[in-house]
Amino acid sequence: MPAMPLALNPDRLFPADPATRAVTRDLFALVEKLPIISPHGHTDPRWFAGNANFGNATELLLKPDHYLFRMLYSQGVRLEELGIRNKAADPREAWRILASNFHLFRGTPSAIWLNWVFVEVFGLDRRLSAETSDLYYDTITDALATEAFRPRALFERFNIEVITTTESPLDSLEHHHAIAASGWQGRVLTAYRPDPVVDPEFEGFHDNLDKLSALTGQDCRTWAGYIAAHRQRRADFIAAGATSSDHGHPTARTADLAPAEAEALFARVSSGPASAADAELFRAQMLTEMARMSLDDGLVMQLHPGSFRNHNQPLFDRFGRDKGADIPMATDYVTALQPLLGAFGNDPRLSLIVFTLDETAYARELAPLAGHYPAMKLGPAWWFHDSPEGMRRYRRMVTETAGFYNTVGFNDDTRAFLSIPARHDLARRIDCGFLAELVVEHRLELDEAAELAVDLAYNLAKAAYRL
Amino acid sequence: MPAMPLALNPDRLFPADPATRAVTRDLFALVEKLPIISPHGHTDPRWFAGNANFGNATELLLKPDHYLFRMLYSQGVRLEELGIRNKAADPREAWRILASNFHLFRGTPSAIWLNWVFVEVFGLDRRLSAETSDLYYDTITDALATEAFRPRALFERFNIEVITTTESPLDSLEHHHAIAASGWQGRVLTAYRPDPVVDPEFEGFHDNLDKLSALTGQDCRTWAGYIAAHRQRRADFIAAGATSSDHGHPTARTADLAPAEAEALFARVSSGPASAADAELFRAQMLTEMARMSLDDGLVMQLHPGSFRNHNQPLFDRFGRDKGADIPMATDYVTALQPLLGAFGNDPRLSLIVFTLDETAYARELAPLAGHYPAMKLGPAWWFHDSPEGMRRYRRMVTETAGFYNTVGFNDDTRAFLSIPARHDLARRIDCGFLAELVVEHRLELDEAAELAVDLAYNLAKAAYRL
Amino acid sequence: MPAMPLALNPDRLFPADPATRAVTRDLFALVEKLPIISPHGHTDPRWFAGNANFGNATELLLKPDHYLFRMLYSQGVRLEELGIRNKAADPREAWRILASNFHLFRGTPSAIWLNWVFVEVFGLDRRLSAETSDLYYDTITDALATEAFRPRALFERFNIEVITTTESPLDSLEHHHAIAASGWQGRVLTAYRPDPVVDPEFEGFHDNLDKLSALTGQDCRTWAGYIAAHRQRRADFIAAGATSSDHGHPTARTADLAPAEAEALFARVSSGPASAADAELFRAQMLTEMARMSLDDGLVMQLHPGSFRNHNQPLFDRFGRDKGADIPMATDYVTALQPLLGAFGNDPRLSLIVFTLDETAYARELAPLAGHYPAMKLGPAWWFHDSPEGMRRYRRMVTETAGFYNTVGFNDDTRAFLSIPARHDLARRIDCGFLAELVVEHRLELDEAAELAVDLAYNLAKAAYRL
């Protein structure tokens, strides 16, 4: 089979109806070139600190992207073949596996993001397939070796106004300090992600407490010292530019214990193996503690609950975390969030941005909560739902109860650096299409839609994250 | 910014596709002018009894509408500023807060309903904003002082054929009696809503039992007297025009206890504080008791479950109930309804209309149940889901299993009197659009759609509520 | 009212947008005439073994179709009137009840399927109604008496390449043997459905174990004999053409007990009444045992969980199973499937096809699981969701995470033989419409959509079921 042509249609992802498409085009023209605000993600600050060239196509595009290898794995590809935990694998041959199986991604956002990268970043004009595998591998790998493809150059080419990475309280923030010291103007912030020292079930939790003690000079085996250490590290993060914290919990449960109870709970979880109930209660209490600290230091809180991590135990034993085996679960928000919201939800100084992997909560729980509590806002469609259909469901289920202004714009939430503009492009197109539908159905005036298009693409994220 | 024009497009809320829109127009022409059947809602019978003029714009349109102040509150407006529990607030300034924040309602049904009221009821032709706030306040307030805007005049202008209010068994029904005695021909019925004497967790439950004793002459501290009092009050309500009862429970749980068990349960809940389990079981049993009475007296039963009432405890402590802090919860129907349906669900003389705030139950539980049991029907999209997208999800998820004829037409379920025709207009437009889609996809013939349009707008509600 | 004309529009079920419809037409032309692969269903092998004429319209089309009588029952028709458990009912009058109430099916897939049968199989050209009831009854009943309407002739006319029935391990497979011995070339396979000997709560479970002992010569009151009997009967089924097993459980729960625990559990459930917990655990363990056997003998596993069977106890007491009173329940897959998937989910030789009646699991649980585990695939929209809107929700919620290639094409899953081509026609139309939407939104290229259309209509089912 000859290689098929590859191009990006300017109307891609716009609704089919001609009148709606025309309005979408007009709205998209207003936002297409706006700078990227990336307030939450997982890029590596080392890239921007050292500004070293990226490696080959496989290292940059395939191996870090669990969206890609989870799909390949589901169809019988072994992770070793892709070079995961296997240094003997030839990256060119790993790339060929992706190329030969690219049809598996039809209808998925991965195909949309990758094709954007292939066309816009690397100038490729034939479709990825077994036939074009070497062409792709060489084109991409060669380009990555050039000046124009170093991290800072791409950052600027992508028109990124600000990007936020995510670090643990145990992180030295050395790369962020190096960026600041370098004189480069790119704005790369950190975010405070305390899971390793907040979750008693995290690998090495007790050791992590001791490391935190060492880093801060506090005695993190006492409740007072532990809390003081958090405050201290949050101040360090803020000094390095952080405006937000992030919390990846299995559930959305919060608690508001009396101080003595909280202290006793900490004594139990910090002195020996925690029971499942104590671990859950401690995570719950720590969300409320973090909210209390946010009222003082202004960090915006993000809550990312609802993933059953490492569902595939045999795979985890061989390959470790983040191998595509995290599976969403049904997630309650109504009773779970009540303790925290009862304590601080009426205070407009707090900003708690809540995400979900359980879409049934959008219209039933999250939009009603965000449409009432001054402190609560809704994060965008997340992870498996960061996709055209996922975003449409989000807007349709959230907007009528929470409005647009209790949402916070788009997060790319990715470690796949090259896909960031592709993801923002997709989100802007889908949002403009949704607004255009409202206009054509006379549920919104065109001038309102124009203002909202800019808000959804740019202003809301900047305001919600206090950037 | 100059004030923007405001007008209602005749095609508003119709699908964008031109062929579908054309069919929608034809169908809507058949139902646009039909009288309004409003079989369930919360207007105040005092309005129609006394026929006094309404007060100002804020008193009529803002203060009673929790859709409005929940959204304003979520964005940091304090309820005191709106005049809630604060007599010192200037209504003109409260209105200005709504006007200045009207952009928050973009994409929500509140904006659609309000704009209808502004144009159709008050003849306004510029958009509500900070600039037009005083114009609005004065225009509306001045109009409300005239004869043409008294409650009965509006009732007639709105072409309401019948409207149902909701009263507790402790209500004297004096306003309904006054309406009947007045000679006015407007049909304002009551509905039997026994929550205050059926829910052991209702504020003042024990006192309410005593009040019920006093009203009926029955001894409502005995099971037999309590049941007799219900039968007596239902008869009073029926004499005042009631055709339905209404039950607002936290869950859909029903029970079918043996008589001795029911009596013992009543003895426990009526003689002291009820445990949570007893309270739930008593509510469950009372639904089955009400169904039993309905077989005798013909009242249609409505079940409105699934709301976590007063989620925001600090707000409740300061401002009381119904302040926008009721949050839907995941709701089971399959096991919950089985006892009642096992007892009476096969009897076509019973009509149990079930609503939900948990849309996941539409296709999974409610449509299969309503598509099987002769006694069960589905209420329309409710509360947070009474919206264009909510109604479309309802039709798409319900129709294929339950058909149209196990549904009961539209309920406005509102205390916002002026919005009633706006809500029926919206529902008729959305239903006609859905029917048109089926026609254009050749899933329904045009003559069938025409018949259904009238059924959904008028006939089904009239028949289901025995009006 | 004169009878209305009846015809099948060639564009039926295609999206309304003209550009999308045009692409749909082109895609559908590629698949319209493809042979039918029916890998899972409930037709009676006796029909094809004996090839006797079907009876009258009511016997063939109404009485076996619980979609039809559940709807009629919900509107007050008594099952006796339809001839169910009532030999005195006149089939012509039963048919008249369907005809007179055919409007109840507006907007349901039953109407679409039946109209296809009326036009395509029987050449009727006026709509079913009270007026045309006798015309229909006579036309259908007369046709059924002819050679061209015998089961094998219809099988060939319907262009069925292969059809699978479902039998219990207690079945002699005599009809399948008779078909094989007859020399007829129609491919009618069986599938292994062991619920009666796997579910301790199945009616007659202990007797069924004894029958299984008698059939196999194994002692099915011992764990080893019981397991050996399964292996033996699976081999018999495979010899009769089976390529799959099927499991209809209330939940998706699986277990992976140590051998001694499994043996002790079997001893409990096989020696006396099983507790609910033991029954559930035994079903759970048997799914894992079946997976273990599949690795040896190659049978594809199907799991159909989530139905609350016989919800209407009074109806069940009078009329028995399968009378339209099976109601879906919320169903967990994440924790439920983990034991089986942990044991065998990483083995690509296993193929576990999972279905759901709880659509909330599509995007949240099932697509993520199928998009990761090599052994797991997703069955199509099932039962109440086997409908235009149900299929669209399925594609929209599944595709972006699982892709198309972790799904298995269409199952008709029906005992309504004449509806089989109607159901495949509907599924192909909806799938082509979905693909066309992706093409018109530039989310898929036309050549990819063309390949996918054939895959979804034909190749995927053939491959997934190893046919």
Side-chain angles (χ1 to χ4, degrees):
Chain A
M1 198 198 304
M4 304 292 291
L6 175 67
L8 302 181
N9 191 292
D11 284 343
R12 65 192 182 277
L13 298 160
F14 290 172
D17 173 67
T20 313
R21 184 166 285 190
V23 175
T24 309
R25 275 190 204 115
D26 291 346
L27 296 174
F28 185 65
L30 302 173
V31 301
E32 182 173 13
K33 306 288 189 195
L34 287 177
I36 286 175
I37 305 288
S38 176
H40 174 76
H42 300 280
T43 52
D44 190 340
R46 181 190 313 253
W47 300 335
F48 308 109
N51 201 31
N53 285 99
F54 291 111
N56 56 55
T58 296
E59 285 300 319
L60 180 61
L61 296 177
L62 174 53
K63 281 177 66 175
D65 191 338
H66 52 71
Y67 285 86
L68 298 186
F69 56 71
R70 78 190 315 277
M71 181 68 91
L72 295 171
Y73 185 72
S74 78
Q75 290 279 317
V77 172
R78 290 177 302 113
L79 295 185
E80 295 89 338
E81 300 177 75
L82 302 176
I84 293 167
R85 298 271 168 120
N86 176 22
K87 291 183 177 166
D90 179 349
R92 179 181 295 273
E93 295 310 311
W95 184 262
R96 198 180 315 283
I97 293 171
L98 174 66
S100 307
N101 288 284
F102 199 51
H103 65 285
L104 298 178
F105 297 93
R106 289 172 179 167
T108 74
S110 291
I112 298 174
W113 298 328
L114 280 176
N115 281 332
W116 187 96
V117 170
F118 297 156
V119 172
E120 290 289 321
V121 181
F122 296 106
L124 290 153
D125 61 5
R126 289 192 282 161
R127 201 184 296 166
L128 180 61
S129 66
E131 287 73 18
T132 59
S133 180
D134 285 330
L135 169 70
Y136 265 72
Y137 187 82
D138 292 333
T139 302
I140 293 170
T141 304
D142 291 352
L144 292 178
T146 65
E147 283 301 308
F149 287 79
R150 286 186 191 265
R152 292 182 180 180
L154 288 172
F155 184 103
E156 288 157 8
R157 174 174 166 190
F158 291 164
N159 196 18
I160 296 174
E161 181 173 317
V162 57
I163 199 169
T164 301
T165 67
T166 313
E167 274 75 37
S168 128
L170 306 178
D171 193 281
S172 67
L173 301 179
E174 61 180 312
H175 303 303
H176 289 84
H177 297 146
I179 295 167
S182 74
W184 178 55
Q185 294 304 308
R187 203 167 162 214
V188 180
L189 311 180
T190 182
Y192 190 68
R193 171 94 171 209
D195 303 4
V197 295
V198 154
D199 178 2
E201 294 176 326
F202 206 95
E203 298 96 300
F205 173 67
H206 290 152
D207 287 349
N208 294 341
L209 292 181
D210 294 338
K211 287 178 192 159
L212 187 62
S213 298
L215 253 170
T216 59
Q218 300 288 346
D219 178 2
C220 292
R221 297 295 187 129
T222 70
W223 177 237
Y226 173 75
I227 290 293
H230 273 296
R231 288 189 178 272
Q232 192 170 320
R233 290 264 64 201
R234 290 168 64 104
D236 296 341
F237 274 60
I238 291 167
T243 68
S244 61
S245 67
D246 182 34
H247 307 275
H249 286 203
T251 74
R253 188 168 163 201
T254 65
D256 188 22
L257 302 175
E261 287 178 274
E263 184 166 1
L265 173 62
F266 178 74
R268 291 200 299 278
V269 302
S270 64
S271 63
S275 69
D278 268 357
E280 174 72 354
L281 183 60
F282 186 70
R283 289 187 296 257
Q285 178 62 24
M286 284 309 296
L287 288 176
T288 307
E289 298 294 340
M290 290 288 147
R292 194 187 323 274
M293 295 183 202
S294 280
L295 284 177
D296 293 331
D297 65 21
L299 286 187
V300 171
M301 281 184 80
Q302 299 169 91
L303 178 56
H304 285 93
S307 180
F308 187 123
R309 303 275 174 180
N310 311 312
H311 189 270
N312 189 337
Q313 188 67 43
L315 194 86
F316 177 74
D317 293 342
R318 291 181 56 207
F319 295 99
R321 284 180 165 257
D322 296 329
K323 293 298 169 292
D326 295 344
I327 309 293
M329 291 180 294
T331 304
D332 158 64
Y333 293 89
V334 180
T335 57
L337 292 178
Q338 205 194 17
L340 189 156
L341 292 174
F344 304 118
N346 292 293
D347 193 328
R349 293 174 302 159
L350 177 66
S351 184
L352 171 64
I353 302 174
V354 181
F355 295 78
T356 192
L357 293 173
D358 180 356
E359 295 178 312
T360 70
Y362 282 154
R364 187 180 60 212
E365 305 178 26
L366 292 171
L369 287 166
H372 166 67
Y373 281 100
M376 183 167 155
K377 299 233 174 334
L378 291 193
W382 176 41
W383 197 339
F384 295 103
H385 311 307
D386 176 8
S387 63
E389 300 294 339
M391 290 175 185
R392 287 172 180 165
R393 285 195 292 273
Y394 173 84
R395 290 286 175 215
R396 288 191 211 293
M397 292 200 273
V398 161
T399 307
E400 294 181 319
T401 291
F404 290 104
Y405 293 98
N406 284 305
T407 65
V408 302
F410 179 64
N411 284 184
D412 53 71
D413 191 22
T414 190
R415 65 198 72 221
F417 179 44
L418 269 57
S419 78
I420 287 176
R423 290 167 187 253
H424 286 259
D425 177 78
L426 189 156
R428 291 173 182 187
R429 288 173 179 273
I430 295 293
D431 279 342
C432 288
F434 178 69
L435 293 170
E437 287 176 10
L438 297 186
V439 169
V440 174
E441 292 191 5
H442 306 288
R443 293 155 67 185
L444 199 66
E445 296 299 324
L446 187 57
D447 68 291
E448 298 177 304
E451 202 173 296
L452 278 163
V454 177
D455 288 340
L456 300 184
Y458 182 83
N459 292 326
L460 281 174
K462 204 161 169 177
Y465 283 88
R466 302 176 181 173
L467 294 169
Chain B
M1 195 196 308
M4 304 293 290
L6 176 66
L8 302 181
N9 191 292
D11 285 342
R12 65 193 181 276
L13 298 160
F14 290 172
D17 173 67
T20 312
R21 183 166 286 192
V23 175
T24 308
R25 275 190 205 117
D26 291 345
L27 295 174
F28 185 64
L30 302 173
V31 302
E32 182 172 13
K33 306 289 189 195
L34 288 177
I36 287 176
I37 305 289
S38 175
H40 175 78
H42 300 279
T43 52
D44 190 340
R46 181 190 315 253
W47 299 335
F48 308 110
N51 202 31
N53 285 99
F54 290 111
N56 57 55
T58 296
E59 284 300 318
L60 181 61
L61 296 177
L62 173 53
K63 281 178 66 174
D65 191 338
H66 53 71
Y67 285 86
L68 298 185
F69 57 71
R70 80 190 314 279
M71 181 69 91
L72 295 171
Y73 185 72
S74 78
Q75 289 279 316
V77 172
R78 291 178 301 113
L79 295 186
E80 294 89 338
E81 300 176 76
L82 303 176
I84 293 168
R85 298 269 168 121
N86 175 22
K87 290 182 179 168
D90 178 350
R92 179 180 295 274
E93 294 311 310
W95 184 261
R96 197 180 316 283
I97 292 171
L98 173 67
S100 306
N101 287 284
F102 199 52
H103 65 284
L104 299 178
F105 297 93
R106 289 172 179 167
T108 74
S110 291
I112 298 174
W113 299 327
L114 281 176
N115 281 332
W116 188 96
V117 170
F118 297 156
V119 171
E120 291 289 321
V121 181
F122 296 106
L124 290 153
D125 60 6
R126 289 193 281 160
R127 202 184 295 167
L128 181 61
S129 66
E131 288 74 17
T132 59
S133 181
D134 285 330
L135 170 71
Y136 265 71
Y137 187 81
D138 292 332
T139 301
I140 293 170
T141 303
D142 291 352
L144 292 179
T146 66
E147 283 301 307
F149 287 78
R150 286 186 190 265
R152 292 182 181 180
L154 289 171
F155 184 103
E156 287 157 11
R157 174 175 168 190
F158 290 167
N159 196 18
I160 296 174
E161 182 173 314
V162 56
I163 199 170
T164 301
T165 67
T166 313
E167 273 76 37
S168 128
L170 305 178
D171 192 281
S172 67
L173 301 181
E174 61 181 313
H175 303 303
H176 289 86
H177 296 146
I179 294 167
S182 75
W184 179 55
Q185 294 303 309
R187 203 167 161 213
V188 179
L189 311 180
T190 183
Y192 190 70
R193 171 94 171 213
D195 303 6
V197 294
V198 153
D199 178 2
E201 294 176 328
F202 205 95
E203 298 96 300
F205 173 67
H206 290 152
D207 287 349
N208 293 342
L209 293 181
D210 294 338
K211 287 178 192 159
L212 186 61
S213 298
L215 251 170
T216 59
Q218 301 287 347
D219 178 1
C220 291
R221 295 295 185 129
T222 70
W223 177 237
Y226 173 74
I227 290 293
H230 273 296
R231 288 189 178 271
Q232 193 170 320
R233 289 263 64 201
R234 289 168 64 104
D236 296 342
F237 274 61
I238 291 167
T243 69
S244 62
S245 68
D246 182 34
H247 307 275
H249 286 203
T251 74
R253 187 167 165 204
T254 64
D256 188 22
L257 302 176
E261 287 178 274
E263 185 166 0
L265 173 62
F266 179 73
R268 292 199 299 278
V269 302
S270 64
S271 62
S275 69
D278 268 357
E280 174 72 354
L281 184 59
F282 186 70
R283 289 187 296 258
Q285 178 64 23
M286 284 309 297
L287 287 176
T288 307
E289 298 295 338
M290 289 287 149
R292 195 189 319 276
M293 294 182 202
S294 280
L295 285 177
D296 293 333
D297 65 20
L299 286 187
V300 171
M301 281 185 79
Q302 297 170 90
L303 177 57
H304 284 92
S307 180
F308 188 122
R309 302 277 173 179
N310 311 312
H311 188 270
N312 189 336
Q313 188 67 42
L315 193 85
F316 176 73
D317 293 343
R318 292 181 56 210
F319 295 99
R321 284 181 166 257
D322 297 328
K323 292 298 168 291
D326 295 343
I327 310 293
M329 292 180 293
T331 304
D332 158 64
Y333 293 89
V334 179
T335 58
L337 291 178
Q338 205 194 18
L340 189 157
L341 291 174
F344 304 118
N346 292 292
D347 192 328
R349 294 173 303 160
L350 178 66
S351 185
L352 171 66
I353 301 174
V354 181
F355 295 78
T356 193
L357 292 173
D358 180 357
E359 295 178 311
T360 70
Y362 283 156
R364 186 180 60 211
E365 305 178 24
L366 291 172
L369 287 166
H372 167 66
Y373 281 100
M376 183 168 156
K377 300 236 175 329
L378 291 193
W382 176 40
W383 197 340
F384 295 105
H385 311 308
D386 177 8
S387 63
E389 300 295 338
M391 290 176 186
R392 286 172 179 164
R393 286 195 293 272
Y394 174 84
R395 291 286 175 213
R396 287 191 210 293
M397 292 202 271
V398 161
T399 307
E400 294 181 319
T401 291
F404 290 104
Y405 292 98
N406 285 305
T407 65
V408 303
F410 179 64
N411 284 187
D412 52 71
D413 192 20
T414 190
R415 65 197 75 221
F417 179 43
L418 269 56
S419 78
I420 288 177
R423 290 167 188 252
H424 286 259
D425 178 76
L426 189 157
R428 291 173 183 186
R429 288 172 179 275
I430 295 294
D431 279 342
C432 288
F434 177 69
L435 293 170
E437 287 177 10
L438 297 187
V439 169
V440 174
E441 291 191 4
H442 306 288
R443 293 155 67 185
L444 198 66
E445 297 298 324
L446 187 57
D447 68 291
E448 298 177 303
E451 203 173 295
L452 278 163
V454 177
D455 288 341
L456 300 183
Y458 183 82
N459 292 324
L460 281 174
K462 204 161 169 178
Y465 283 87
R466 302 179 181 171
L467 295 167
Chain C
M1 196 198 306
M4 304 293 290
L6 176 67
L8 303 180
N9 191 293
D11 284 343
R12 64 190 182 277
L13 297 159
F14 291 172
D17 173 67
T20 312
R21 184 166 284 192
V23 175
T24 308
R25 274 190 206 116
D26 292 345
L27 296 174
F28 185 65
L30 301 173
V31 302
E32 182 173 13
K33 306 289 190 194
L34 287 176
I36 287 176
I37 305 290
S38 175
H40 175 76
H42 300 280
T43 52
D44 190 340
R46 182 190 313 255
W47 298 335
F48 308 110
N51 201 32
N53 285 98
F54 291 111
N56 55 57
T58 296
E59 285 300 318
L60 180 61
L61 297 177
L62 174 52
K63 282 178 65 175
D65 191 338
H66 52 72
Y67 285 87
L68 298 186
F69 57 71
R70 80 190 313 277
M71 180 68 90
L72 295 171
Y73 185 73
S74 79
Q75 289 278 316
V77 171
R78 291 178 301 115
L79 296 185
E80 295 88 337
E81 299 176 77
L82 302 176
I84 292 167
R85 298 270 168 121
N86 176 22
K87 290 184 177 165
D90 178 350
R92 178 181 296 273
E93 294 311 309
W95 185 262
R96 198 180 315 283
I97 292 171
L98 174 66
S100 306
N101 288 285
F102 199 52
H103 66 283
L104 298 178
F105 297 93
R106 289 172 179 166
T108 74
S110 291
I112 298 174
W113 298 329
L114 281 175
N115 281 333
W116 188 96
V117 170
F118 297 156
V119 171
E120 290 289 321
V121 181
F122 296 106
L124 289 154
D125 61 5
R126 288 192 282 161
R127 203 184 294 166
L128 181 61
S129 67
E131 288 73 18
T132 59
S133 181
D134 285 330
L135 170 71
Y136 265 72
Y137 187 82
D138 292 332
T139 301
I140 293 170
T141 304
D142 291 353
L144 292 179
T146 66
E147 283 301 307
F149 286 80
R150 286 184 189 266
R152 291 182 181 178
L154 288 171
F155 184 103
E156 288 158 8
R157 176 175 165 190
F158 290 165
N159 196 19
I160 297 174
E161 182 174 314
V162 56
I163 198 169
T164 301
T165 67
T166 312
E167 273 77 36
S168 129
L170 306 177
D171 192 281
S172 67
L173 302 180
E174 60 181 311
H175 303 302
H176 289 86
H177 296 147
I179 294 167
S182 76
W184 178 56
Q185 294 303 309
R187 203 166 161 214
V188 180
L189 311 180
T190 182
Y192 190 69
R193 171 94 171 211
D195 303 5
V197 295
V198 154
D199 178 3
E201 294 176 326
F202 205 95
E203 299 96 298
F205 173 66
H206 289 152
D207 287 349
N208 293 342
L209 293 181
D210 294 338
K211 286 178 192 159
L212 187 62
S213 299
L215 251 171
T216 59
Q218 301 286 347
D219 178 1
C220 292
R221 296 294 186 130
T222 70
W223 177 237
Y226 173 74
I227 290 293
H230 273 297
R231 289 191 176 270
Q232 192 171 321
R233 289 264 62 203
R234 289 168 64 105
D236 296 340
F237 273 61
I238 291 167
T243 68
S244 62
S245 68
D246 182 34
H247 307 274
H249 286 203
T251 74
R253 186 167 164 203
T254 64
D256 188 22
L257 301 176
E261 288 178 274
E263 185 166 1
L265 174 62
F266 179 73
R268 292 200 299 279
V269 302
S270 65
S271 63
S275 69
D278 268 358
E280 175 71 355
L281 184 59
F282 186 70
R283 289 186 297 257
Q285 178 63 24
M286 284 309 297
L287 287 176
T288 307
E289 298 294 339
M290 289 286 148
R292 195 188 321 275
M293 294 183 202
S294 281
L295 285 178
D296 293 333
D297 64 21
L299 286 187
V300 171
M301 279 185 80
Q302 297 169 91
L303 178 56
H304 283 93
S307 180
F308 188 123
R309 303 277 173 179
N310 312 310
H311 188 270
N312 188 336
Q313 188 67 42
L315 194 86
F316 177 73
D317 293 342
R318 290 180 58 207
F319 294 99
R321 284 181 164 257
D322 296 329
K323 292 298 169 293
D326 295 344
I327 309 293
M329 290 180 294
T331 304
D332 157 65
Y333 293 89
V334 179
T335 57
L337 291 178
Q338 204 193 18
L340 190 157
L341 292 174
F344 304 118
N346 292 294
D347 193 329
R349 294 173 303 158
L350 178 66
S351 184
L352 171 65
I353 302 173
V354 180
F355 295 77
T356 192
L357 293 173
D358 180 355
E359 295 178 311
T360 69
Y362 282 155
R364 185 180 62 211
E365 306 178 24
L366 292 171
L369 287 167
H372 167 67
Y373 282 101
M376 185 169 154
K377 300 235 173 332
L378 290 193
W382 176 40
W383 196 340
F384 295 104
H385 311 307
D386 177 8
S387 63
E389 300 295 338
M391 290 176 185
R392 286 173 180 164
R393 285 196 292 272
Y394 173 85
R395 290 287 174 213
R396 288 192 210 291
M397 292 201 272
V398 161
T399 306
E400 295 181 319
T401 291
F404 289 104
Y405 292 98
N406 285 305
T407 65
V408 302
F410 179 63
N411 284 187
D412 52 71
D413 192 21
T414 189
R415 65 198 74 222
F417 180 44
L418 268 57
S419 78
I420 288 177
R423 289 167 188 253
H424 286 260
D425 177 77
L426 189 157
R428 291 173 182 185
R429 288 172 179 273
I430 295 294
D431 279 341
C432 289
F434 177 70
L435 293 170
E437 287 177 11
L438 297 186
V439 169
V440 174
E441 290 190 6
H442 306 289
R443 293 156 66 186
L444 198 66
E445 297 298 324
L446 187 57
D447 67 291
E448 297 177 303
E451 203 173 294
L452 278 164
V454 176
D455 287 341
L456 300 184
Y458 183 83
N459 292 326
L460 280 174
K462 204 162 169 177
Y465 283 88
R466 303 179 180 170
L467 294 168

